[in-house]
Amino acid sequence: LSTTASGQHGTRILIVDAHPDDETAYAGTIYKLTHDFGGTVDLCVITNGEAGYKYSTLAESYYKLKLTNEDTGRKYLPRIRHQELENAGTIIGLRKIFFLDQRDNRYTLDPHEVLDSNWNIPDVKTRLRRILTDERYDFVFVLLPTDSTHGHHKAATILALETVKDLPAPHPIVLAGSPSKKGMTPRAAMGLAEFPITHISSGQPEYSFDRTQGFGFHHALNYKVIVNWEIAEHKSQGTMQLGMNEGDIEQYYFFDMNPPEGRAKAKALFEMLAKNTYPEVTYPGIK
């Protein structure tokens, strides 16, 4: 991990996601890196999430639009979800958000539906390569690809991996994120059999960020507060709000395509993020 002259860690991360709101999976990690250690995090979001009109019932009165009507939702949700994401990004400390404006067609488990006919793949990869080349990130975060994952999430991860692999060395380390509850057995994930670039030989997360690490007076606060703030900004997506307080740990998996030395770099990042940067808070006469 590089360190700036001011003593802050200059770690640079690019998140590559399919939809506005997918970034909530890494929100605790990102907040602590940007706020406590001076890291830089950008987000590349491939679609505008307009197929989310089906979950916008409660947002209709908030935005004063009949968003659950498909035509209305597809017309207005791109602008709305851009703004929601910018609001959420401000909370967790995103520096830049790159919108690729590909069509969010519908929910599917099949990544081929997206890769073969839905998105303009040459354009996505060209723009993604330009971002990666211009900014020279240390890490790329993507969502964990499993058979049960949304096809758009699978496709975004596949495209990020392919684009990184084609970069001249040294290329950034790509990690797959997946939140889980404490006490649960970590999700076993080997990648997608049809896409060898997604393979994860260990099948297990190798790094984690604990959202429940306590700080403040009596250690009563933790990073789930920040994640809830971030989720709350995505008001057009009613089901997102049901995820508040759900994830305790952000787990990260190491793709086989990464160079072996990337493990040490990733380990150093998460060991740094495990440090409590808040001084103990006490008040005279108050226990």
Side-chain angles (χ1 to χ4, degrees), residues 34-46:
T34 58
H35 285 73
D36 296 4
F37 294 101
T40 298
V41 182
D42 297 336
L43 169 63
C44 177
V45 60
I46 296 177

